[in-house]
């Protein structure tokens, strides 16, 4: 018998710390971009667990790799060599370098989440600048880099810094890309940015400005760190959005979609010799389970990228978004985003909230981002039928909303 929503809710309420404003639904199974709730009702999932379920729910290839790995070995610790970890590092770096003339050596570090990947990036930058007394890291207004104390301080949203202080020193806030260079001083060691701010409204940065910034930072020997926790792993259409922008950052952090739902975080960097044994580490990071899941996830995504299937999915998805925008001009300003990290900017925050609630009622899951954006981050394997069905439900949902 399926668990009952009220029972789950009561247990959660009693025993789980109240850090989430949960919607009143519990899912118990999934199939690609479709989820099923406790009553067996289907939902089209345009959120993919906030960009995590990159190869869809219950992907048979990923499920088999995970099951096989679990029957063999899950974890030994980083005290010993871990073959899938080494192969995942190779695959991630080779896919990043593929079809580009960038051949600099790179190495990877594995952890368990986006915030941890950014912590690693911050530690690399601090170590890089240490001898010259450079420790400051510039981050952007409206950015989001995680919930640990350092990644929270790096996050450029004042409302998130009301508690938990004192925070570590050395984080400098720039208003926008143009302002970054004005914030540089003799103590700056790095700049940490998202190319498409995930929580800050899904608005992609300007490509020319990013390229100019990358070369200015290089000239000043300041590290460019790109947070691709959300935009990475083919969500933009390329393995990393950095490729679309034509830049080669010193450090890329990633997480979410990398192992299709198994917790993982990663950093890849050109500073191949920055750490000595003991400088950094993680008990779970890159263990057999997450690394094996990461390799299979990347392989599935590489295949749909190379076959052109991903491009086709992105095109259909954007066509549907354009239709929605044309049909409901009184609700939306414009389309936002790149690839399958996209959405529509609602006229105001009340509408944003109403749209997300109506969508849930019509059994299609969408997310919020920034002040007014309805964010869509579907599985990269979403089918044409799921796209059609999801947008048809969204149409019905939007028809119920009074502007
Ligand atoms: C750009 C970006 N960086 C960092 C994080 C934090 O990742 P995690 O929740 O896995 O720690 C997120 C999560 O939404 C993110 O979107």
């Amino acid at each position: 018998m399926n668990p009952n929503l009220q029972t789950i809710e009561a247990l959660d309420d009693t025993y789980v710390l109240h850090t989430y404003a949960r919607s009143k639904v519990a899912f118990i199974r999934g199939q690609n971009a479709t989820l099923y709730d406790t009553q067996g009702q289907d939902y089209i999932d345009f959120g993919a667990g906030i960009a995590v379920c990159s190869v869809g729910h219950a992907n048979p290839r990923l499920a088999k790799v995970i099951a096989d790995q679990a029957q063999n070995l899950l974890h030994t610790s980083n005290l010993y060599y871990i073959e899938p970890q080494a192969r995942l590092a190779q695959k991630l770096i080779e896919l990043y370098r593929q079809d580009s003339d960038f051949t600099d050596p790179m190495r990877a570090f594995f952890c368990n989440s986006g915030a941890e990947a950014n912590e690693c990036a911050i530690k690399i930058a601090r170590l890089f600048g240490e001898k010259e007394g450079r420790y400051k890291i510039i981050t952007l207004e409206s950015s989001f880099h995680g919930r640990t104390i350092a990644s929270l301080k790096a996050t450029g949203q004042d409302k998130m810094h009301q508690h938990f202080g004192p925070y570590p020193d050395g984080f400098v806030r720039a208003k926008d890309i143009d302002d970054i260079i004005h914030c540089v001083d003799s103590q700056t060691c790095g700049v940490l940015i998202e190319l498409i701010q995930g929580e800050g409204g899904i608005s992609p940065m300007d490509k020319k400005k990013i390229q100019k910034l990358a070369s200015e930072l290089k000239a000043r020997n300041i590290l460019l760190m790109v947070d691709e926790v959300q935009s990475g792993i083919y969500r933009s259409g390329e393995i990393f959005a950095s490729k679309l922008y034509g830049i080669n950052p010193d450090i890329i952090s990633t997480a979410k979609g990398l192992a299709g739902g198994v917790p993982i975080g990663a950093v890849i960097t050109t500073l191949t010799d920055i750490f000595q044994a003991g400088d950094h580490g993680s008990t779970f990071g890159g263990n057999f389970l997450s690394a094996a899941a990461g390799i299979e996830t990347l392989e599935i995504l590489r295949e749909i990228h190379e076959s052109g299937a991903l491009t086709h999915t992105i095109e259909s998805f954007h066509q549907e978004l354009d239709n929605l925008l044309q049909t409901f001009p009184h609700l939306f300003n414009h389309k936002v985003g790149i690839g399958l990290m996209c959405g529509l900017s609602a006229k105001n925050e009340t509408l944003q909230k109403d749209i997300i609630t109506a969508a849930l009622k019509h059994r299609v899951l969408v997310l919020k981002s920034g002040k007014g954006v309805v964010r869509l981050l579907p599985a990269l394997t979403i089918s044409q039928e799921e796209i059609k069905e999801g947008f048809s439900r969204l149409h019905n949902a939007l028809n119920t909303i009074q502007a």
Side-chain angles (χ1 to χ4, degrees):
M1 208 176 74
N2 289 342
N4 162 294
L5 177 62
Q6 283 68 36
T7 314
I8 301 171
E9 205 182 334
L11 270 180
D12 183 277
D13 190 48
T14 310
Y15 293 112
V16 180
L17 280 171
H18 295 178
T19 59
Y20 305 103
R22 301 196 201 273
S23 299
K24 288 210 180 296
V25 59
F27 298 109
I28 54 168
R29 107 187 141 81
Q31 192 65 52
N32 201 19
T34 308
L35 282 167
Y36 297 87
D37 71 8
T38 39
Q39 292 174 308
Q41 295 202 99
D42 65 341
Y43 290 68
I44 300 296
D45 183 7
F46 281 171
I50 324 184
V52 168
C53 308
S54 50
V55 295
H57 301 289
N59 183 295
R61 283 176 59 180
L62 181 58
K64 180 169 183 339
V65 164
I66 291 172
D68 289 351
Q69 190 61 57
Q71 283 178 0
N72 194 34
L73 198 55
L74 286 176
H75 183 90
T76 55
S77 93
N78 278 304
L79 296 173
Y80 315 104
Y81 288 104
I82 301 169
E83 195 243 6
Q85 181 183 130
R87 283 201 295 120
L88 178 60
Q90 177 193 29
K91 197 168 181 75
L92 197 55
I93 291 168
E94 286 185 355
L95 286 173
Y96 170 58
R97 291 221 203 91
Q98 193 174 301
D99 304 323
S100 87
D101 48 16
F102 182 71
T103 54
D104 288 7
M106 294 189 94
R107 285 190 177 135
F109 175 81
F110 294 101
C111 49
N112 313 288
S113 68
E116 273 184 73
N118 286 331
E119 287 281 341
C120 176
I122 291 164
K123 282 176 80 173
I124 292 175
R126 287 276 176 98
L127 213 47
F128 169 78
E130 201 169 67
K131 277 208 183 81
E132 295 162 340
R134 295 196 283 149
Y135 65 98
K136 290 186 187 165
I137 292 170
I138 301 170
T139 67
L140 278 179
E141 189 83 43
S142 303
S143 58
F144 183 75
H145 298 296
R147 304 268 186 178
T148 60
I149 290 287
S151 63
L152 193 58
K153 183 60 186 165
T155 292
Q157 300 184 42
D158 288 335
K159 66 171 195 265
M160 298 185 76
H161 302 142
Q162 282 165 9
H163 309 290
F164 318 118
Y167 286 97
D169 264 358
F171 289 93
V172 178
R173 175 90 50 85
K175 280 201 296 292
D176 51 31
I177 291 292
D178 297 323
D179 188 37
I180 288 179
I181 219 69
H182 303 131
C183 295
V184 166
D185 67 19
S186 61
Q187 293 172 319
T188 307
C189 62
V191 168
L192 174 64
I193 53 168
E194 297 157 90
L195 296 173
I196 311 157
Q197 289 187 334
E199 306 302 308
I202 313 286
S203 47
M205 302 288 163
D206 180 84
K207 186 170 174 178
K208 284 221 166 65
K209 286 187 182 182
I210 292 290
Q211 290 184 339
K212 182 162 167 265
L213 174 71
S215 60
E216 282 174 343
L217 294 178
K218 195 155 232 52
R220 293 171 198 226
N221 198 28
I222 292 168
L223 299 183
L224 175 59
M225 305 183 269
V226 175
D227 178 344
E228 297 231 31
V229 167
Q230 195 164 144
S231 63
I233 318 300
Y234 293 101
R235 188 143 288 280
S236 69
E238 289 295 334
I239 179 137
F240 290 116
S242 295
K243 284 187 87 145
L244 282 178
Y245 277 75
I247 56 165
N248 295 302
D250 302 288
I251 304 172
I252 296 176
S253 55
T254 194
K256 288 191 183 280
L258 177 54
V262 176
I264 193 167
V267 153
I268 58 171
T269 180
T270 53
L271 286 90
T272 50
D273 296 314
I274 191 85
F275 286 140
Q276 304 296 312
D279 280 340
H280 196 48
S282 162
T283 295
F284 290 116
N287 77 6
F288 284 85
L289 175 68
S290 62
I295 293 168
E296 189 62 14
T297 302
L298 282 183
E299 184 51 26
I300 296 167
L301 296 176
R302 183 193 69 76
E303 289 170 18
I304 62 168
H305 177 248
E306 282 187 9
S307 70
L310 181 58
T311 307
H312 179 55
T313 304
I314 292 171
E315 282 168 2
S316 322
F317 207 83
H318 277 258
Q319 206 155 31
E320 294 283 1
L321 270 180
D322 289 334
N323 286 345
L324 217 57
L325 187 61
Q326 268 174 18
T327 316
F328 299 97
H330 54 295
L331 300 181
F332 299 112
N333 298 314
H334 49 82
K335 190 171 81 170
V336 293
I338 294 180
L340 293 178
M341 183 168 177
C342 54
L344 293 168
S345 159
K347 296 271 179 195
N348 57 57
E349 285 182 72
T350 312
L351 269 178
Q352 175 196 37
K353 195 162 170 270
D354 292 348
I355 291 166
I356 293 169
T357 308
L360 182 66
K361 265 194 198 143
H362 286 77
R363 292 188 285 113
V364 53
L365 305 178
V366 300
L367 305 165
K368 103 189 238 276
S369 169
K371 296 193 171 92
V373 168
V374 177
R375 173 172 47 159
L376 307 176
L377 307 165
L380 308 180
T381 53
I382 189 169
S383 69
Q384 292 294 321
E385 294 72 38
E386 286 169 324
I387 294 176
K388 279 217 153 38
E389 180 60 25
F391 276 97
S392 151
R393 291 183 191 191
L394 263 183
H395 264 86
N396 293 339
L398 295 175
N399 272 327
T400 66
I401 291 174
Q402 313 280 348

